Amino acid sequence: MNADTPGGIPLERIAAIFEAERESYVSLHPRSLALAGQGIAGFYQGVPMHWMRDWSMPFPFVVESARGAVLTDVDGNEYADFCLGDTGAMFGHSPPPVAEAITRQAGKGLTCMLPTRDALEVGRLLAERFGLPHWQVATTATDANRFALRVARAVTGRPRILVFNGCYHGTVDETFVRLVDGRPVNRPGLLGQVTDLTELARVVEFNDLPALEAALAHGDVACVIAEPVMTNCCMVLPEPGFHTELRRLTRAAGTLLLIDETHTISTGPNGYTGAHGLEPDLFVLGKPVAGGVTASVWGFTEDVARRLDAVRAQTPPGHSGMGTTLSANALSLAAMRATLEQVMTPQAYAHMDGLAARLAVGLQRVIEQYEVPWHVVRVGARVEFICAPGPLRNGTEAEAAHAPALEQAIHLALLNRSCLIAPFHNMMLVSPATTAAQVATLCDAFESVIASLALDLESWQ
Ligand SMILES: Cc1ncc(COP(=O)(O)O)c(C=O)c1O
């Protein structure tokens, strides 16, 4: 991509539009400016979690409420929310069955380190839905991945994991490796990382089966951890046959396969795994699984359970290195039960899928109309526009497709037109509460932004 024209748009035009949108944002948010514009007292960097500074806006607006797919700020601005807490609220904010379950549980104890009646149902619901017989509950998808990888190492007796270049599976140390000029390195930007993570991980490009086979041939890889579609760089779809071969090669090498469905649960009620007949040994789902209450789950096969039993029988008593105190607490299990029983339904997914398809078509139409060299990708309820030609085949191509300055200008301009999309990439989620009118608003806003960016490009140059 040309550095002076990211996404085909001259940098000066991007800068001019960003400045105009910045002024507009400031004028639309006087109360947020007064309350949080200089940083919120007591918090490092003025926010409760440093990622809150990574949005495109000059200062974050303060949320008054979030219901369904509508977010309202303290200035009274309303947004059609397509970020949805970047997947934590994928089924809408405070889905009524979840809100009711939380209210019911609130008077009955929040955390006890013991199973509640809801736990009796949740294990069965998970096994039924995702087809694996053994489950554990953790607090975040990061933790679930960490614990599942620990089990993989324990049962295979192997040290390494294998990741795909450009992946993100939460803050799991050994997944923070990248390929730079074909060589594995620690991912740039890590703070306080004093070990060489490449000693614990192998990294190959997504869709590169010969490289995968060669990396597995060392015989030291306990587990491949993969999203079925890469969603954390610009979205990268698996090429035809990739998953079949991934499974065949991992089995042949005695390597376990962990499928992380935290984002691709957008595909359908049984995840991408269910929709495409994948056969993981380990399965992870976090974020929306309890309707926005902090929780994650990880499951595994009978074979892994049997091997884990054998390892445990040989292991002296002590801390397993897995589990955190609040994991599987009563509140999260109540919320998870409500989500699995009443929120993640086929009907909800039918609505999400239909509107997401409409959104993808609407965005693609604008891209074609204004002849910008971009494309749109969709995985069920998850849609992304990418400011580069597609399809992308791997993490390196996805990295090169990013156009940070352009994306920031677009995000801020969409926000000023009442549409919120995810901050880190150009991702939009459609929830059961999202309306056709909101999708139309987003398509119109996108068109207005692209028109200002792309019209009369020749006269600008
Ligand atoms: C695929 C995937 N796995 C795991 C995680 C980690 O989730 P959490 O931050 O809730 O631990 C993320 C977060 O974005 C993710 O995208």
Side-chain angles (χ1 to χ4, degrees):
M1 188 180 290
N2 187 332
D4 297 332
T5 54
I9 314 292
L11 268 177
E12 306 95 296
R13 173 167 285 198
I14 295 170
I17 285 175
F18 185 77
E19 188 46 34
E21 296 295 341
R22 207 188 63 79
E23 281 172 23
S24 165
Y25 179 87
V26 172
S27 71
L28 284 166
H29 296 87
R31 280 186 65 80
S32 281
L33 179 62
L35 294 171
Q38 307 308 316
I40 303 169
F43 288 118
Y44 174 64
Q45 292 206 328
V47 280
M49 208 268 282
H50 67 281
W51 289 1
M52 292 179 185
R53 294 221 69 91
D54 292 346
W55 292 77
S56 56
M57 43 262 207
F59 51 89
F61 63 77
V62 179
V63 175
E64 186 67 61
S65 69
R67 288 202 195 93
V70 177
L71 216 94
T72 308
D73 70 18
V74 291
D75 287 289
N77 300 303
E78 282 194 356
Y79 306 92
D81 187 0
F82 290 89
C83 169
L84 294 169
D86 193 342
T87 315
M90 192 176 105
F91 301 112
H93 294 286
S94 299
V98 176
E100 283 157 27
I102 294 172
T103 309
R104 260 197 320 276
Q105 190 61 40
K108 295 202 292 177
L110 302 178
T111 188
C112 327
M113 287 183 83
L114 284 166
T116 54
R117 283 184 179 279
D118 291 318
L120 307 180
E121 293 303 316
V122 167
R124 186 182 56 74
L125 291 167
L126 290 169
E128 255 173 34
R129 183 180 286 256
F130 299 115
L132 290 170
H134 298 281
W135 290 88
Q136 288 282 276
V137 176
T139 301
T140 64
T142 296
D143 276 352
N145 278 326
R146 285 218 319 267
F147 304 153
L149 289 176
R150 188 175 279 273
V151 164
R153 286 182 165 124
V155 305
T156 58
R158 296 178 176 185
R160 294 207 193 220
I161 62 155
L162 185 145
V163 299
F164 291 108
N165 189 36
C167 73
Y168 183 68
H169 297 284
T171 52
V172 181
D173 276 342
E174 60 267 51
T175 61
F176 282 138
V177 289
R178 285 283 182 273
L179 280 179
V180 173
D181 299 328
R183 296 195 42 216
V185 295
N186 281 12
R187 182 176 166 161
L190 296 176
L191 284 176
Q193 183 50 261
V194 294
T195 51
D196 178 359
L197 299 171
T198 64
E199 288 175 5
L200 296 170
R202 297 192 181 281
V203 50
V204 301
E205 295 286 9
F206 200 65
N207 284 321
D208 186 346
L209 290 167
L212 173 67
E213 185 166 18
L216 294 177
H218 295 272
D220 57 0
V221 176
C223 187
V224 171
I225 176 170
E227 283 192 281
V229 170
M230 295 192 85
T231 68
N232 280 299
C233 33
C234 299
M235 261 203 296
V236 180
L237 298 173
E239 288 176 349
F242 175 73
H243 277 293
T244 310
E245 278 302 284
L246 169 61
R247 185 62 282 198
R248 189 183 69 73
L249 292 172
T250 44
R251 282 204 176 114
T255 294
L256 298 179
L257 177 62
L258 190 172
I259 293 290
D260 179 354
E261 287 263 17
T262 299
H263 277 178
T264 49
I265 192 66
S266 60
T267 310
N270 314 99
Y272 192 98
T273 294
H276 295 267
L278 306 191
E279 297 175 4
D281 301 293
L282 299 139
F283 178 103
V284 162
L285 173 58
K287 296 199 183 183
V289 68
V293 172
T294 316
S296 64
V297 294
W298 52 291
F300 43 94
T301 59
E302 194 58 50
D303 178 58
V304 170
R306 199 180 36 72
R307 293 164 70 183
L308 184 58
D309 287 347
V311 171
R312 283 167 62 98
Q314 304 295 318
T315 309
H319 201 300
S320 65
M322 300 185 288
T324 57
T325 310
L326 294 182
S327 291
N329 66 70
L331 185 74
S332 63
L333 278 157
M336 205 185 299
R337 178 179 176 184
T339 306
L340 291 168
E341 282 182 343
Q342 299 175 65
V343 177
M344 290 176 75
T345 61
Q347 295 83 340
Y349 271 97
H351 175 87
M352 293 153 73
D353 204 59
L355 277 191
R358 192 184 297 191
L359 174 60
V361 168
L363 299 177
Q364 186 64 40
R365 188 189 56 73
V366 174
I367 287 170
E368 281 162 20
Q369 184 181 340
Y370 290 89
E371 297 182 355
V372 283
W374 305 358
H375 73 288
V376 175
V377 193
R378 178 170 85 89
V379 179
R382 176 178 297 270
V383 181
E384 187 176 13
F385 64 85
I386 295 170
C387 303
L392 304 170
R393 281 173 308 168
N394 58 43
T396 296
E397 289 187 5
E399 175 84 27
H402 259 304
L406 173 60
E407 290 167 13
Q408 281 222 326
I410 298 171
H411 289 210
L412 189 55
L414 290 176
L415 189 73
N416 288 336
R417 290 158 181 75
S418 304
C419 297
L420 187 70
I421 72 169
F424 304 124
H425 19 97
N426 308 322
M427 196 273 301
M428 295 144 285
L429 278 171
V430 172
S431 78
T434 305
T435 63
Q438 286 179 313
V439 168
T441 302
L442 177 53
C443 290
D444 289 349
F446 188 70
E447 172 156 13
S448 126
V449 177
I450 304 314
S452 60
L453 282 164
L455 267 189
D456 301 328
L457 274 181
E458 277 156 26
S459 68
W460 183 270
Q461 281 156 350

